[in-house]
Amino acid sequence: MDLHEVEPARDPRVRRTRAAVLRAAFDLVTERGTTAVTISEIAEAADVSRRVVYQHFGDLDTVLLEAGLDLARRELLPRLTDFRDVVDGRTETLVLARHFADHKVFYRALLTGSCAHALDRGLISLMLRVNRPGIEHLYGDRLSPQAVDDLAAFITGGAGSFVTAWVIEGAHDPEAFTDRLIAVISVLMEAR
């Protein structure tokens, strides 16, 4: 599965059905604070049959994973790509922190549920697309393309683990978290 982009369905009915199922999963998980939801409950909330949910997603973990990635793709990535030409890590990091704080109940449930590993990997993969150009900008031609990829993966993975721990711990002050993450990344970047 390519976690970077989902090819949009051509049929508007398919798009509406997928969106309704993902929204229902988001709403149920957020309302309950747990991933202990069923395909039947999601199908009922989305006003589709269980069969349709299984046809589109296969199983509950995939529904939950896709709901988490869909939220990040729709609400987080567009806000971060606005900053591509700006090398202001604090602004970008604060956007990220506010997104996770705004949806803390949903993400905490997913990051402690059965799809946690897949979601963590998927979110890191999404963020790598945003972070790699910044690393390339900072280091220019001083690093090989492979070294840029490796450094971007290292920083993105570490930051992803930091975000995951912060979401799970429950302390959700985006400003304080941003300052902590920027301080850690600054130490790493001073070695450049």
Side-chain angles (χ1 to χ4, degrees):
M1 172 187 339
D2 180 8
L3 298 173
H4 292 290
E5 291 185 34
V6 172
E7 179 156 340
R10 296 181 197 274
D11 185 337
R13 294 171 297 174
V14 172
R15 285 195 307 268
R16 281 192 303 271
T17 298
R18 287 184 63 84
V21 170
L22 296 176
R23 183 66 196 186
F26 171 82
D27 290 344
L28 287 168
V29 169
T30 300
E31 175 185 307
R32 295 179 186 179
T34 179
T35 57
V37 298
T38 66
I39 291 286
S40 294
E41 292 168 327
I42 292 170
E44 183 179 328
D47 198 26
V48 299
S49 70
R50 284 172 31 114
R51 183 172 154 255
V52 166
V53 176
Y54 282 115
Q55 285 175 330
H56 283 270
F57 297 97
D59 61 23
L60 178 61
D61 280 348
T62 302
V63 173
L64 298 174
L65 169 64
E66 286 299 322
L69 294 176
D70 178 66
L71 180 62
R73 284 184 195 110
R74 281 184 303 101
E75 293 189 13
L76 177 59
L77 287 184
R79 294 173 61 204
L80 291 176
T81 56
D82 292 343
F83 299 109
R84 276 198 176 170
D85 296 326
V86 178
V87 184
D88 174 7
R90 186 172 204 303
T91 301
E92 294 162 320
T93 304
L94 189 54
V95 165
L96 177 118
R98 285 182 177 148
H99 172 79
F100 283 97
D102 289 346
H103 304 291
K104 64 187 170 195
V105 172
F106 175 71
Y107 281 118
R108 184 184 302 135
L110 266 58
L111 290 167
T112 57
S114 57
C115 69
H117 179 72
L119 180 64
D120 183 55
R121 304 306 326 147
L123 291 171
I124 288 170
S125 181
L126 289 175
M127 294 310 300
L128 190 55
R129 281 192 330 179
V130 175
N131 292 341
R132 190 193 183 288
I135 298 296
E136 192 169 41
H137 175 76
L138 286 173
Y139 290 97
D141 58 0
R142 290 183 289 166
L143 294 177
S144 70
Q146 182 63 57
V148 168
D149 287 344
D150 292 344
L151 184 57
F154 181 80
I155 290 172
T156 304
S161 294
F162 203 54
V163 169
T164 296
W166 177 67
V167 168
I168 292 171
E169 287 171 3
H172 293 102
D173 176 0
E175 298 277 343
F177 176 75
T178 296
D179 292 340
R180 287 175 57 201
L181 186 54
I182 292 297
V184 170
I185 291 173
S186 294
V187 169
L188 293 173
M189 300 312 280
E190 284 177 13
R192 65 183 183 116

